[in-house]
């Protein structure tokens, strides 16, 4: 009895303490419900106020209050902050700091990144951008960057895109269209391959294939939304292509690879891929202006040259090169080039009904199908090992061919390759940096192309009633988000000097600041297809959740010790 009385007394004695601890834990958990964007905004506001040597008491109070609410009696705090300041796109300075106080660490790191530079006005402050990074175990970084007063999530040097809707897609289409128009050479109406945003320079050589691909995309943009200004570019760009076509000699009909606008010298290099892609564009021009016979005639002449480049076993001689009026031929096999030949000849047959084009396409397609039979759906060639992009070109080629000749083996191979590509798409929503791209496709041009193929696969799958067509539509949503994340836009240009020139361009890969022209074209083509393939009443295409700050905050507060 006495033991029971003692137990009750002890319980009553300590009950207020237990209740207080529970209440404190509840209050702490409620305080931790702050969202990422609020935290980022407060950090950026404070950094900018420090940069002007005008410590905003309300801003500091907000961060101090947050930090006070986050404090607990069981975790040691050690913030570790690194700040890079940019001035008009160039790195101005860097600063690091650590300690128990978030505001003190931010203050020290900000001042160190500016090397005591005095910023006297908000106008001057807006010329500076601050990338704020928090290091945390094990070797992770939580980062943000500002655009004036607004804060954005950053991973690596990319501002992360988590929400994709129609408005965002349409805005990207508008910006990328403007980028392509800026890339057109004023004298020749041709297009270069690379623009280097780091040095604000572009290549000089005007390449036929990139010019044809750009015009192809601009025509598709005009089909999406009629644009009189856009149409004004078509004739000049079309003439640039026609001027590159050989009209005599053993390779008449083929298109020269490019021209130097400063010397007016052509490369005297005829590639089947260049000629095939130019045929794609010529046929679009023909469909748009059927009374203009020159476009179809040019395409047929090019198709006749392609037929001569097909070997008896279905392989394709990819390149003819001349030097001192003597032609030499490269027999190094390329799956990409062979696939492009099949597509070009299939599209030519669809319009002309010339049986020679269909037979040529089937001959090359048979060789490609043999490759898949021997090596599986992931194929390579003498230029590159087995890879997703080469396989996607076989898929595209067979889609074009199956539209005019629905042989069962074509459909079977298309589905076989489609399955492998879907398996190779990274599906990790908690890894926004990589989610949606394909395993071995590290560039926007490669991922953009596969996305473009998926854009063709969706309607083909539905027309042929192949089943589960939504899987290709879903793949497009994921890749499109990744592509949008890897474009130069008003938030993703903090580290380049001429944002106006770069905005709308798709950044080539993780380690460069170059824009490859066909990456912009493939990216746009895929986005246009996605809009066409989605139901009209669907407005939001993807929402990628961010890891709750409640899970991440204890790690951020613990920092990363040396």
């Amino acid at each position: 009895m006495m033991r029971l009385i003692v137990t009750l007394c002890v319980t009553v004695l300590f009950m207020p303490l237990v209740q207080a601890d529970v209440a404190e834990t509840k209050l702490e958990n409620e305080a931790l419900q702050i969202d990422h964007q609020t935290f980022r905004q407060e950090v950026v506001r404070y950094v900018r106020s420090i940069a002007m040597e005008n410590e905003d008491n309300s801003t500091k109070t907000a961060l101090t209050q947050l930090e006070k609410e986050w404090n607990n009696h069981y975790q040691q705090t050690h913030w570790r902050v690194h700040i890079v300041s940019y001035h008009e796109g160039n790195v101005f300075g860097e600063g690091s700091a650590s300690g128990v106080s978030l505001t003190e660490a931010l203050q020290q790191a900000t001042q160190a990144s500016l090397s005591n530079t005095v910023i006297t006005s908000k106008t001057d402050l807006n010329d500076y951008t601050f990338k704020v990074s928090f290091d945390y175990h094990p070797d992770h970084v939580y980062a943000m960057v500002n655009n004036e007063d607004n804060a954005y999530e950053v991973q690596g040097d990319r501002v992360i895109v988590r929400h994709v809707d129609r408005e965002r897609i349409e805005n990207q289409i508008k910006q990328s269209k403007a980028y392509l128009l800026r890339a057109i050479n004023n004298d020749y109406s041709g297009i270069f391959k690379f623009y280097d945003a780091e040095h604000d320079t572009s290549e000089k050589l005007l390449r036929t294939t990139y010019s044809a691909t750009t015009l192809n995309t601009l025509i598709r943009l005009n089909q999406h939304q009629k644009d009189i200004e856009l149409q004004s570019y078509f004739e000049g760009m079309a003439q640039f292509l026609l001027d590159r076509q050989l009209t005599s000699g053993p390779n008449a009909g083929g298109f020269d690879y490019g021209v130097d606008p400063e010397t007016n010298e052509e490369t005297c290099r005829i590639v089947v891929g260049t000629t095939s892609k130019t045929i794609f564009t010529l046929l679009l021009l023909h469909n748009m202006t059927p009374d203009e016979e020159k476009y179809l005639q040019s395409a047929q002449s090019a198709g006749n040259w392609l037929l001569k480049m097909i070997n008896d076993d279905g392989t394709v001689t990819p390149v003819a090169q001349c030097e001192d009026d003597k032609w030499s031929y490269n027999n190094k096999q390329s799956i990409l080039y062979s696939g492009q030949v099949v597509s070009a000849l299939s599209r030519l047959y669809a319009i002309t009904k010339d049986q020679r084009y269909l037979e040529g396409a089937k001959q090359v397609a048979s060789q490609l199908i043999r490759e898949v039979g021997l090596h599986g759906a992931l194929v390579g060639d003498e230029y590159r090992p087995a890879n997703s992009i080469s396989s996607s070109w076989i898929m595209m080629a067979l889609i074009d061919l199956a539209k005019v000749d629905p042989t069962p083996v074509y459909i079977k191979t298309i589905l076989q390759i489609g399955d492998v590509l879907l398996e190779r798409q990274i599906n990790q929503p908690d890894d926004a940096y990589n989610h949606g791209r394909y395993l071995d496709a590290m560039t926007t041009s490669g991922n953009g192309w596969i996305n473009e193929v998926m854009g063709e696969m969706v309607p083909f799958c539905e027309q042929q009633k192949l089943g589960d067509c939504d899987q290709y539509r879903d793949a497009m949503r994921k890749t499109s988000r990744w592509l949008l994340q890897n474009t130069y836009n008003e938030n993703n240009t903090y580290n380049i000097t001429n944002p106006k020139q770069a905005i709308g361009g798709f950044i080539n890969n993780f380690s460069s600041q170059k824009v490859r022209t066909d990456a912009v074209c493939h990216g746009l083509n895929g986005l246009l297809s996605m809009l066409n393939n989605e139901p009209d009443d669907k407005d939001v295409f993807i929402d990628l959740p961010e890891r709750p700050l409640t899970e991440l905050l204890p790690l951020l507060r613990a920092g990363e010790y040396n």
Side-chain angles (χ1 to χ4, degrees):
M1 185 69 178
M2 179 63 68
R3 186 174 182 181
L4 176 61
I5 293 172
V6 170
T7 301
L8 288 172
C9 290
V10 170
T11 301
V12 170
L13 179 65
F14 282 97
M15 187 175 294
L17 297 177
V18 172
Q19 289 175 336
D21 191 55
V22 170
E24 182 180 349
T25 302
K26 181 180 179 182
L27 180 63
E28 181 179 288
N29 287 337
E30 289 174 352
L32 289 177
Q33 293 305 313
I34 181 175
D35 63 276
H36 286 275
Q37 193 54 31
T38 301
F39 177 54
R40 285 192 283 260
Q41 285 293 147
E42 294 299 336
V43 168
V44 161
R45 284 181 61 204
Y46 186 63
V47 167
R48 280 167 56 84
S49 72
I50 293 297
M52 286 189 66
E53 295 188 346
N54 178 29
E55 189 172 323
D56 187 330
N57 287 331
S58 65
T59 302
K60 184 175 182 178
T61 300
L63 274 181
T64 303
Q65 184 63 28
L66 285 177
E67 196 168 11
K68 181 180 178 181
E69 291 174 345
W70 292 338
N71 280 339
N72 55 52
H73 56 275
Y74 53 80
Q75 181 184 2
Q76 180 180 357
T77 299
H78 185 86
W79 297 97
R80 185 174 176 85
V81 184
H82 181 74
I83 296 180
V84 181
S85 61
Y86 297 86
H87 182 256
E88 297 181 343
N90 294 307
V91 174
F92 187 82
E94 300 185 43
S96 297
S98 60
V100 297
S101 169
L102 173 59
T103 54
E104 288 181 12
L106 288 170
Q107 182 179 29
Q108 292 171 21
T110 302
Q111 291 172 337
S113 77
L114 292 172
S115 302
N116 299 316
T117 297
V118 177
I119 301 174
T120 58
S121 71
K122 189 169 183 180
T123 300
D124 291 339
L125 179 63
N126 288 341
D127 290 334
Y128 289 83
T129 301
F130 300 93
K131 183 178 179 182
V132 184
S133 304
F134 293 87
D135 296 330
Y136 67 96
H137 289 286
D139 299 319
H140 289 308
V141 176
Y142 177 86
M144 64 199 72
V145 69
N146 74 292
N147 183 351
E148 298 186 358
D149 288 326
N150 297 313
Y152 299 92
E153 177 190 5
V154 172
Q155 292 184 23
D157 58 356
R158 300 289 188 266
V159 171
I160 297 301
V161 171
R162 294 187 176 276
H163 180 83
V164 179
D165 56 21
R166 284 188 183 273
E167 182 180 0
R168 181 150 205 156
I169 295 290
E170 291 286 3
N171 185 58
Q172 184 63 54
I173 289 172
K174 180 180 178 181
Q175 290 187 343
S176 294
K177 177 178 72 172
Y179 174 88
L180 290 178
L181 295 182
R182 290 195 301 272
I184 299 171
N185 180 276
N186 291 331
D187 297 322
Y188 280 76
S189 295
I191 306 287
F192 49 77
K193 181 178 181 180
F194 281 116
Y195 166 70
D196 186 345
E198 180 180 6
H199 301 103
D200 192 24
T201 58
S202 58
E203 289 185 337
K204 298 300 181 185
L205 183 67
L206 303 178
R207 309 195 191 206
T208 307
T209 185
Y210 297 97
S211 303
T213 301
T214 299
L215 179 53
N216 187 299
T217 296
L218 295 179
I219 293 172
R220 292 186 61 172
L221 285 168
N222 188 64
Q223 292 171 342
H224 173 67
Q225 184 174 6
K226 296 296 182 184
D227 186 336
I228 300 299
E229 181 187 2
L230 189 60
Q231 295 172 20
S232 68
Y233 291 88
F234 293 171
E235 186 175 354
M237 297 183 73
Q239 191 58 50
F240 174 83
L241 300 179
L242 295 177
D243 289 344
R244 305 282 78 75
Q245 188 168 36
L246 276 67
T247 57
S248 62
N251 291 292
F255 285 85
D256 195 277
Y257 186 73
V259 61
D260 185 331
E262 295 180 353
T263 64
N264 198 34
E265 291 184 2
E266 295 186 322
T267 62
C268 203
R269 185 168 184 260
I270 320 300
V271 182
V272 295
T274 296
T275 299
S276 296
K277 286 189 166 184
T278 305
I279 288 174
F280 300 168
T281 304
L282 290 169
L283 294 179
L284 272 183
L285 287 166
H286 169 70
N287 289 336
M288 187 174 63
T289 56
D291 294 335
E292 289 278 2
E293 297 181 357
K294 59 184 178 182
Y295 299 128
L296 183 56
Q297 290 175 349
S298 176
Q300 289 175 297
S301 179
N304 296 339
W305 178 77
L306 289 179
L307 292 175
K308 293 196 298 182
M309 304 300 282
I310 300 173
N311 302 313
D312 291 341
D313 61 357
T315 60
V316 176
T317 300
V319 181
Q321 181 85 41
C322 75
E323 187 174 352
D324 298 328
D325 295 326
K326 293 182 179 179
W327 288 96
S328 61
Y329 296 87
N330 180 355
N331 287 310
K332 194 175 179 180
Q333 289 303 297
S334 166
I335 293 291
L336 272 72
Y337 289 159
S338 293
Q340 290 160 8
V341 169
V342 173
S343 284
L345 294 177
S346 298
R347 296 182 194 188
L348 263 173
Y349 172 74
I351 291 177
T352 66
K353 303 305 178 186
D354 187 328
Q355 197 69 22
R356 296 177 304 139
Y357 299 138
L358 178 59
E359 292 304 319
K362 291 168 65 175
Q363 187 178 5
V364 179
S366 295
Q367 168 60 18
L368 295 177
I369 292 170
R370 281 196 296 271
E371 286 293 317
V372 173
L374 287 172
H375 305 293
L378 200 67
V379 295
D381 52 34
E382 294 179 308
Y383 284 89
R384 50 188 69 79
N387 66 94
S388 301
I389 298 169
S390 293
S391 295
S392 71
W393 259 113
I394 296 181
M395 187 176 177
M396 183 70 254
L398 295 180
I399 289 174
D400 279 325
L401 182 54
K403 289 177 181 178
V404 294
D405 180 24
T407 300
V409 70
Y410 302 154
I411 306 292
K412 177 184 175 182
T413 308
I414 289 167
L415 292 173
Q416 185 180 351
I417 295 173
D419 287 345
V420 168
L421 290 178
L422 293 179
E423 289 171 2
R424 296 176 67 77
Q425 186 178 38
I426 297 173
N427 186 24
Q428 295 291 336
D430 59 344
D431 179 11
Y433 192 73
N434 292 295
H435 178 65
R437 73 171 178 85
Y438 292 85
L439 283 174
D440 54 350
M442 308 298 288
T443 64
T444 51
S445 58
N447 283 282
W449 167 249
I450 298 176
N451 208 41
E452 185 175 343
V453 175
M454 291 297 175
E456 297 296 323
M457 182 60 181
V458 171
F460 179 78
C461 175
E462 292 177 339
Q463 291 160 9
Q464 298 291 325
K465 297 180 173 54
L466 302 180
D468 195 11
C469 302
D470 278 343
Q471 61 183 327
Y472 308 112
R473 189 178 280 111
D474 183 59
M476 290 198 72
R477 294 169 186 157
K478 294 173 184 174
T479 305
S480 295
R481 185 211 66 85
W482 185 87
L483 289 168
L484 291 172
Q485 184 171 282
N486 285 276
T487 62
Y488 282 122
N489 54 47
E490 52 275 4
N491 300 325
N492 236 3
T493 49
Y494 62 90
N495 57 353
I496 61 174
T497 58
N498 190 2
K500 290 183 179 179
Q501 186 66 27
I503 283 178
F506 286 67
I507 309 168
N508 189 49
N509 58 37
F510 302 125
S511 59
S512 84
Q513 292 182 311
K514 291 183 177 180
V515 176
R516 182 167 154 164
T517 301
D518 63 340
V520 183
C521 298
H522 295 322
L524 278 175
N525 292 345
L527 294 179
L528 290 171
S529 292
M530 189 172 79
L531 289 180
N532 291 332
N533 295 335
E534 293 284 358
D536 292 338
D537 60 350
K538 187 173 183 61
D539 186 58
V540 177
F541 303 122
I542 194 166
D543 253 318
L544 203 61
E546 193 167 1
R547 181 183 182 183
L549 189 58
T550 52
E551 296 179 13
L552 193 58
L553 186 60
L555 295 172
L556 292 180
R557 293 175 62 223
E560 177 81 299
Y561 292 89
N562 291 326

